[in-house]
């Protein structure tokens, strides 16, 4: 969706003439670039009524000889009902005069609007705005769409020439101190009155609403088999996080005037709803029980993954009980002959990605040592890393990209990046064992960004990439640590998975949104959200809406709100704007001091597009998600679209 700016008036432009006028001011010849309309002159009522039409303001041009004479130019009287011209010069467009071009009458402009041209600058086209911005840093520009554009505003309020002084305040215009010698200097653009600007702003919102309505009315559900499924998971991506990330992207990436008028790519998805995230034993979810819900379709106990609520935490016996073990949508996809992949910026053995392949009674059992720490026997209960390499469906996953090398390495082996010893006490090097398991297949193992980008995706069926000893770095530190970005990992995975004619299932987690929130590093959390959105956009561009169902959601929320309070200083409320809020290491102010900021219990957003995306509307249990995905893709043991169930 293109961001629309407030539309210009309904006056049609017949022709625009750009020319240079020779003006005399205190004995000096000044060349001024002008943008004028031939055929109409502006006459702006001082107090137009609600039904005022700009077409009524146009009237025939006066003789050119009267307009162009600086000393003898007619001065409009109060009865004329017009606003006097403000002499304004901007050096950004001064050039040599063209030959044989007759000058045109000067437009009438509003004095007060000339002082604050920011809103007026939004009437410019993108090309014109970029051109002017490159030559004059004072311009505040924008974009306008539509065939009825009446002209471009080329004002710079900081450059009003009068003798040897420069006017930089509204007083100069109100008192007219700079007008006597230049009262007929040609203005550079057509300006609107304050009232008309307000009317145009109101019309902008009406037009935007009608555009959105038009788009909605054209939407039709796609009821076809979802050959491919891509599930994007923003860990801890609350609705407040999405809103704030949208504003940040609008300000810092899209360079919009405010930021709130921007959009994330996930905002463009036609269907959205809310997901209720509570666990079977807790009102506020963790990433383990929630992963079991949105991947396996069953609400579970906090801290457990891939097990029914009958399995309690730290219970090795319950973990091994087949009656308590659940299968995930990734396993359902594999059973249907689809390729599968998992991507995370956290450890690949962390709770969210582990939900696709593991059944564990404690999410912290990522290696055998952790199981021993909880007084259980790792020979009886396989840890998460071991389940990924040897278990089903882990060993059959085609693409595995994330962090967490130390979970796969023995104590005798040091990590190549930080030199730390591996965490495993069983002597197993699971990375080498994965390579051995894939010896007869086309496979590749990579540890850095350059290695990943050099993978021949047309000649690889199994790819394992472990890019960090623990979690991958935050977005702004990835390059110096040779970590690939989330969009890059997503693109590589799609190139491999899309070769399967039966389709694929891909899980992509933006994990460090959650980690940043826990540290009260709000700015980092927002940038990680923007990065996830870039991956969403990349996946959307690489797939077809007619056969690929994309869902973007979160496992749980966080307690971050778009508000701030930092106590009192000298009996006055502290001004948060004085803090270095643009510093990535700046920590937001907590209302309740704790060691770590916490998850929230509120619902999270679901945004979807593609076949049966309309299922993800309304407010649903989080455990609804995999069943709806499976229905659309005709996989799993539940109801399927292919079976004409519910029709």
């Amino acid at each position: 969706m293109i961001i629309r700016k407030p539309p210009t008036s309904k006056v049609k432009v017949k022709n625009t003439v750009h020319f240079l006028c020779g003006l005399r001011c205190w004995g000096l010849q000044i060349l001024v670039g002008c943008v004028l309309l031939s055929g109409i002159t502006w006459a702006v009522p001082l107090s137009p009524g609600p039904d005022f039409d700009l077409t009524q303001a146009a009237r025939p041009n006066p003789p050119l000889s009267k307009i162009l004479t600086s000393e003898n130019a007619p001065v409009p009287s109060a009865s004329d009902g017009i606003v006097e011209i403000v002499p304004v010069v901007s050096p950004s467009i001064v050039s040599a005069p063209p030959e044989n071009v007759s000058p045109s009458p000067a437009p009438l402009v509003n004095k007060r609007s000339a002082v604050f041209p920011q809103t007026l600058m939004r009437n410019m086209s993108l090309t014109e705005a970029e051109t002017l911005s490159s030559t004059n840093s004072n311009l505040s520009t924008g974009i306008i769409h539509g065939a009825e554009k009446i002209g471009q505003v080329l004002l710079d309020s900081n450059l009003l020439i009068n003798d040897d002084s420069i006017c930089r305040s509204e007083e100069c215009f109100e008192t007219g101190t700079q007008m006597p010698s230049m009262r007929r200097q040609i203005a550079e653009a057509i300006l609107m009155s304050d009232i008309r600007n307000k009317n145009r702003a109101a019309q902008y919102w009406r037009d935007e609403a009608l555009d959105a309505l038009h788009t909605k009315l054209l939407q039709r559900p796609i009821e076809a088999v979802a050959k491919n499924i891509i599930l994007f998971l923003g860990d801890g991506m609350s609705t407040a996080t999405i809103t704030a990330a949208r504003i940040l992207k609008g300000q810092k990436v899209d360079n919009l005037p405010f930021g709130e008028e921007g959009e994330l790519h996930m905002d463009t998805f036609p269907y959205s709803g809310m997901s209720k995230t509570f666990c079977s034993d807790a009102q506020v979810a963790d990433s383990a029980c929630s992963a079991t819900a949105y991947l396996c379709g069953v609400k579970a106990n906090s801290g457990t993954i891939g097990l029914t609520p009958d399995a309690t935490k730290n219970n090795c016996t319950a973990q091994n009980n087949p009656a308590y073990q659940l299968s995930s949508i990734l396993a359902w996809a594999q059973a249907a002959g689809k390729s599968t992949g998992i991507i995370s910026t956290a450890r690949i053995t962390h709770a969210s990605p582990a939900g696709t392949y593991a059944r564990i009674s404690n999410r912290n059992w990522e290696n055998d040592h952790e199981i021993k720490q909880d007084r259980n026997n790792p020979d009886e209960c396989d840890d998460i890393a071991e389940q990924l390499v040897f278990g089903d469906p882990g060993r059959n996953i085609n693409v595995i990209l994330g962090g967490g090398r130390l979970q796969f390495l023995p104590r005798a082996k040091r990590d190549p990046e930080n030199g730390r010893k591996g965490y495993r006490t069983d002597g197993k090097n699971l990375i080498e064992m994965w390579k051995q398991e894939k010896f007869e297949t086309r496979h590749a193992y990579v540890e850095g960004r350059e290695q990943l980008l050099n993978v021949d995706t047309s000649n690889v069926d199994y790819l394992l990439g472990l890019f960090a000893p623990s979690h991958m770095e935050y977005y702004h530190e990835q390059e110096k640590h040779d970590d690939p970005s989330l969009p890059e990992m997503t693109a590589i995975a799609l190139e491999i998975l899309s070769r399967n004619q039966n389709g694929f299932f891909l899980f992509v987690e933006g994990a460090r949104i959650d980690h940043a929130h826990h540290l009260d590093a709000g700015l980092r959390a927002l940038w990680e959200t923007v990065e996830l959105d870039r991956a969403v956009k990349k996946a959307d561009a690489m797939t077809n809406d007619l056969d690929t169902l994309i869902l973007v959601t979160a496992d749980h929320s966080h307690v971050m709100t778009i508000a701030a309070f930092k106590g009192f200083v000298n009996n006055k409320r502290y001004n948060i704007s004085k803090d270095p809020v643009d510093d990535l290491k700046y920590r937001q102010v907590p209302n309740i001091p704790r060691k770590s900021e916490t998850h929230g219990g509120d619902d999270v957003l679901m945004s979807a597009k593609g076949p049966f995306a309309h299922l993800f509307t309304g407010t649903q249990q989080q455990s609804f998600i995999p069943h709806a995905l499976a229905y659309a893709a005709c996989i799993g043991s539940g109801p399927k679209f292919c079976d004409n169930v519910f029709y």
Side-chain angles (χ1 to χ4, degrees):
M1 175 180 178
I2 298 176
I3 302 300
R4 289 194 51 163
K5 298 298 176 187
T8 53
S9 72
K10 303 300 182 181
V11 178
K12 296 183 179 180
V13 178
K14 296 182 179 179
N15 184 29
T16 302
V17 180
H18 298 270
F19 67 97
L20 290 173
C21 308
L23 297 178
R24 185 172 56 190
C25 175
W26 292 94
L28 297 178
Q29 291 292 329
I30 304 175
L31 292 179
V32 183
C34 310
V35 179
L36 300 175
L37 304 180
S38 66
I40 63 171
T41 303
W42 289 97
V44 184
L46 292 176
S47 302
D51 298 325
F52 176 73
D53 188 345
L54 287 180
T55 58
Q56 301 173 4
R59 64 183 185 185
N61 295 333
L64 295 180
S65 59
K66 292 185 178 181
I67 291 293
L68 297 176
T69 304
S70 177
E71 296 298 331
N72 301 316
V75 179
S77 64
S79 60
D80 289 332
I82 57 178
V83 180
E84 192 169 12
I85 296 172
V86 175
V88 179
V89 176
S90 174
S92 62
I93 60 171
V94 175
S95 58
E99 297 180 357
N100 302 322
V101 177
S102 299
S104 296
L108 300 173
V109 299
N110 177 271
K111 294 185 293 185
R112 186 168 301 179
S113 296
V115 185
F116 304 107
Q118 288 82 1
T119 57
L120 301 175
M121 293 306 302
R122 297 175 197 167
N123 295 330
M124 302 180 65
S125 69
L126 180 59
T127 302
E128 292 160 340
E130 290 176 345
T131 301
L132 285 173
S133 296
S134 65
T135 58
N136 195 326
S137 61
N138 293 316
L139 296 178
S140 175
T141 60
I143 306 169
I144 180 173
H145 302 278
E148 296 180 323
K149 182 172 65 174
I150 64 167
Q152 288 74 42
V153 176
L154 305 174
L155 261 185
D156 180 359
S157 62
N158 289 334
L159 292 171
L160 180 63
I161 298 179
N162 179 31
D163 197 11
D164 57 352
S165 64
I166 295 179
C167 176
R168 298 182 181 274
S169 69
E170 187 174 5
E171 292 182 1
C172 298
F173 293 95
E174 292 301 321
T175 60
T177 55
Q178 296 191 342
M179 294 180 62
S181 64
M182 297 188 301
R183 56 193 174 95
R184 281 305 173 195
Q185 180 176 325
I186 305 300
E188 298 173 358
I190 298 173
L191 301 180
M192 300 296 182
S193 69
D194 292 341
I195 294 178
R196 188 179 302 147
N197 282 331
K198 294 176 182 177
N199 290 339
R200 288 167 54 244
Q203 188 60 42
Y204 161 62
W205 297 115
R206 296 187 190 101
D207 289 346
E208 185 183 63
L210 293 177
D211 284 348
L213 176 61
H214 179 69
T215 301
K216 282 293 183 183
L217 291 174
L218 292 178
Q219 286 177 4
R220 295 292 182 270
I222 301 175
E223 295 191 346
V225 177
K227 175 183 175 182
N228 312 311
I229 297 176
I230 307 176
L231 174 55
F232 283 96
L233 192 285
D235 198 318
M237 189 175 66
S238 63
T239 53
T241 302
I242 293 174
T243 301
R246 179 189 304 123
I247 297 172
L248 177 70
K249 177 177 178 288
Q251 293 175 344
K252 303 297 185 180
V253 179
D254 300 329
N255 296 316
L256 298 175
F258 304 107
E260 291 89 343
E261 71 272 41
E263 66 180 5
L264 298 170
H265 189 74
M266 66 181 80
D267 294 336
T268 68
F269 282 19
Y271 299 99
S272 61
M274 302 301 291
S275 168
K276 296 185 281 189
T277 62
F278 63 90
C279 300
S280 63
D281 65 343
Q283 189 176 73
V284 178
D286 76 328
S287 293
C289 73
S290 55
T292 306
Y294 65 76
L295 289 168
C296 302
V298 174
K299 295 271 186 176
N301 293 326
S302 298
T304 66
I305 302 173
L307 301 173
T308 69
D310 305 289
T312 56
K313 192 174 180 180
N314 293 333
N315 191 327
C316 185
T317 302
Q319 174 178 319
N320 291 331
N321 188 339
Y324 299 162
Q325 294 178 347
L326 299 169
S327 60
S328 71
I329 186 171
L330 180 141
W332 308 342
Q334 286 184 359
K338 297 181 183 294
S339 295
T340 55
I342 56 174
I343 298 173
S344 178
T345 51
R347 297 188 295 268
I348 206 64
T349 52
H350 212 234
S352 300
T356 62
Y357 62 84
R359 304 175 184 93
I360 203 85
S361 61
N362 188 326
R363 58 174 289 178
N364 295 324
W365 292 356
E366 299 180 52
N367 59 73
D368 67 305
H369 175 68
E370 294 296 334
I371 297 179
K372 293 178 181 178
Q373 289 290 99
D374 287 328
R375 299 180 181 180
N376 281 277
N377 187 350
D379 294 330
E380 296 178 4
C381 288
D382 290 339
D383 59 80
I384 296 177
E386 201 166 22
Q387 291 187 41
L388 176 58
V389 175
F390 301 118
D392 287 325
R395 64 190 180 95
N396 296 316
I397 299 176
N398 298 90
V399 177
I400 304 169
L401 302 175
R405 278 194 303 262
L406 291 174
Q407 311 295 333
F408 296 82
L409 297 177
R411 290 286 176 89
K413 181 75 173 178
R414 292 186 179 272
D415 186 86
E417 186 171 335
N418 65 5
R420 295 185 61 180
K421 295 180 179 179
Y423 291 157
R424 306 197 64 84
T425 59
D426 55 9
K428 298 177 181 178
N429 186 328
L430 295 184
I431 296 176
E432 294 300 323
M433 298 177 82
W434 180 89
K435 294 178 183 178
Q436 295 172 11
E437 286 284 317
K438 301 294 183 290
F439 179 74
E440 296 182 356
T441 68
R442 300 187 300 176
H443 69 280
Y445 170 72
V446 294
E447 292 184 340
R449 176 178 182 269
E450 185 176 354
Q451 292 178 355
L452 176 67
L453 298 182
N454 287 329
V455 169
D456 182 2
T457 56
S458 64
N459 196 39
V460 171
D461 297 321
Y462 293 93
L463 174 63
L464 173 62
L466 298 176
F467 304 106
S470 183
H471 303 307
M472 293 177 63
E473 294 294 331
Y474 288 110
Y475 165 67
H476 290 86
E477 277 75 46
Q478 287 174 350
E479 184 176 355
K480 66 181 180 182
H481 288 273
D482 195 28
D483 287 350
S485 68
L486 197 58
E488 289 170 341
M489 292 190 289
T490 300
I492 293 293
L494 289 175
E495 289 177 7
I496 295 174
L497 300 178
S498 61
R499 300 203 323 263
N500 189 335
Q501 295 300 312
N502 292 324
F504 61 82
F505 170 84
L506 175 61
F507 173 81
V508 183
E509 181 195 23
R512 308 230 64 187
I513 302 170
D514 174 78
H515 300 161
H517 273 319
H518 279 301
L519 295 175
D520 277 330
L523 186 57
R524 281 197 187 277
L526 303 187
W527 278 118
E528 293 299 314
T529 303
V530 173
E531 182 71 354
L532 173 67
D533 191 65
R534 289 181 60 229
V536 173
K537 185 176 182 179
K538 171 64 70 173
D540 193 13
M542 294 180 66
T543 55
N544 191 326
D545 290 354
L546 297 179
D547 66 5
T548 303
L549 173 56
I550 302 178
L551 174 65
V552 184
T553 188
D555 48 356
H556 54 75
S557 72
H558 268 272
V559 297
M560 185 202 85
T561 60
I562 306 179
F565 179 71
K566 199 174 181 179
F568 292 87
V569 177
N570 297 325
N571 295 322
K572 294 183 179 180
R573 182 174 176 176
Y574 182 83
N575 187 352
I576 201 73
S577 64
K578 296 180 180 180
D579 284 358
V581 294
D582 289 332
D583 189 339
L584 288 170
K585 297 181 180 179
Y586 175 74
R587 300 186 67 177
Q588 269 62 46
V589 183
N591 289 328
I592 302 176
R594 288 174 53 92
K595 182 179 179 180
S596 173
E597 182 266 5
T598 64
H599 296 178
D602 40 311
D603 300 345
V604 296
L605 191 66
M606 301 183 294
S607 299
K609 70 179 306 187
F612 286 97
H614 57 285
L615 296 179
F616 300 94
T617 55
T619 302
Q620 308 290 346
Q621 294 288 359
Q622 197 169 45
S623 51
F624 163 83
I625 291 176
H627 298 292
L629 293 173
Y631 177 86
C634 295
I635 60 178
S637 59
K640 305 176 184 64
F641 168 66
C642 301
D643 298 335
N644 293 320
V645 177
F646 303 148
Y647 281 81

